Amino acid sequence: GHLLFGRQRSLMALPFDAQSLTAIGRERVVAEGVVSRAAVGSALQLMDFSVAADTVAYRVAGRLETIIVRNWV
């Protein structure tokens, strides 16, 4: 599997072994320009993306984008 996370305005994917709980490869950019916003009362930034089954949905400049994640990284 992969761990998805945000770095600045990029959506990143890190290959991950759920059995050993370790990274098994290098992180890669999945999408750039992803919308992020400050969490209320915090210095944290929240990135607008969601994962379900084999699809990642995210917002770029007000429009919804999707990626089908079969053999994608």
Side-chain angles (χ1 to χ4, degrees):
H2 290 81
L3 291 178
L4 295 179
F5 62 95
R7 178 176 295 145
Q8 296 165 345
R9 291 185 52 109
S10 294
L11 181 59
M12 308 292 292
L14 176 66
F16 187 77
D17 182 339
Q19 295 284 347
S20 65
L21 301 177
T22 58
I24 55 174
R26 300 182 81 185
E27 61 193 37
R28 297 197 44 196
V29 174
V30 175
E32 295 181 330
V34 178
V35 173
S36 63
R37 54 192 155 73
V40 175
S42 173
L44 295 176
Q45 287 287 314
L46 303 176
M47 187 166 279
D48 291 340
F49 74 92
S50 181
V51 180
D54 63 353
T55 304
V56 178
Y58 58 94
R59 287 192 317 141
V60 175
R63 69 182 189 279
L64 182 65
E65 301 282 336
T66 59
I67 301 171
I68 304 299
V69 292
R70 289 182 216 104
N71 303 317
W72 58 299
V73 177

